[in-house]
Amino acid sequence: MKNIQLIISFFLYNLCFGQLDLNQFNLQFQSNPKPILLYFYTDWCAYCKIQEKEIEQNKTIKTQLENDVYYLKINGESLDDINFLGKLYFSKSTQQKKNNHSFILHFTEKNEQINYPFWVIINEKQEVIGKYFGLIRNNQLDEILDKLTSIDRIN
């Protein structure tokens, strides 16, 4: 019974927060390409917790994340391998030592300092069109999402 409750809670959390599981994303993107918003966080990041709370409290942004883009929330120090659009990225972390995942390194320059939260914006042609380290206020995020969806409508 607890497992069923856990699964339902996880599903509802994902539904409410607008994010997709990577397997769902990989399948859906092929048939319905639209902009991708990658949100990298860590468990220890205080700014990430603030960011998530701000998003959760803003219905307009939550709706945009659910409908207008693929919103993927990814732990930057995950121990899991990540399959993103057919390419496999491997964890660089161990249980004893946390490191930035090779997936996040794919979006940074060599020796670039990585701060969290880390945002990557990818268009429907799979081109990185923006990166940002740090907290994004809701008015800024709303503006970014509006621009992304207007670009999508023009193309």
Side-chain angles (χ1 to χ4, degrees):
M1 186 66 175
K2 280 187 176 183
N3 286 342
I4 292 172
Q5 289 174 333
L6 184 62
I7 291 169
I8 290 171
S9 296
F10 180 74
F11 174 75
L12 289 174
Y13 176 79
N14 282 339
L15 185 64
C16 293
F17 217 80
Q19 67 199 31
L20 281 176
D21 157 286
L22 278 168
N23 292 326
Q24 290 174 313
F25 160 74
N26 285 321
L27 290 171
Q28 289 183 19
F29 186 83
Q30 299 308 318
S31 61
N32 183 24
K34 57 185 174 181
I36 303 164
L37 184 60
L38 299 176
Y39 168 73
F40 292 97
Y41 71 97
T42 63
D43 295 330
W44 51 263
C45 171
Y47 287 113
C48 299
K49 291 177 185 1
I50 292 168
Q51 185 75 73
E52 291 165 19
K53 190 173 186 172
E54 284 192 4
I55 291 171
E56 188 175 327
Q57 293 174 346
N58 188 303
K59 290 180 182 175
T60 303
I61 288 177
K62 282 175 55 175
T63 300
Q64 288 175 297
L65 292 174
E66 290 169 6
N67 299 319
D68 300 336
V69 299
Y70 289 112
Y71 174 59
L72 302 172
K73 182 180 166 194
I74 301 165
N75 187 333
E77 298 176 332
S78 174
L79 297 174
D80 299 326
D81 295 336
I82 294 175
N83 180 352
F84 181 76
L85 297 173
K87 186 167 183 189
L88 195 56
Y89 298 88
F90 299 99
S91 174
K92 293 183 168 260
S93 293
T94 64
Q95 292 291 348
Q96 292 78 31
K97 186 173 187 315
K98 299 288 185 180
N99 288 310
N100 293 312
H101 198 284
S102 67
F103 185 50
I104 197 171
L105 298 176
H106 176 76
F107 299 104
T108 59
E109 304 298 322
K110 187 175 183 178
N111 298 322
E112 183 174 14
Q113 176 68 38
I114 299 172
N115 298 305
Y116 294 95
F118 175 45
W119 298 86
V120 179
I121 304 165
I122 302 170
N123 66 17
E124 60 280 346
K125 297 174 188 166
Q126 301 179 28
E127 301 164 329
V128 174
I129 58 172
K131 298 188 306 185
Y132 183 79
F133 292 103
L135 185 70
I136 298 179
R137 294 293 178 191
N138 280 347
N139 61 335
Q140 297 168 307
L141 185 54
D142 187 44
E143 207 174 295
I144 290 167
L145 291 168
D146 284 344
K147 285 181 183 176
L148 269 178
T149 55
S150 66
I151 290 170
D152 187 41
R153 284 190 294 264
I154 293 170
N155 291 334

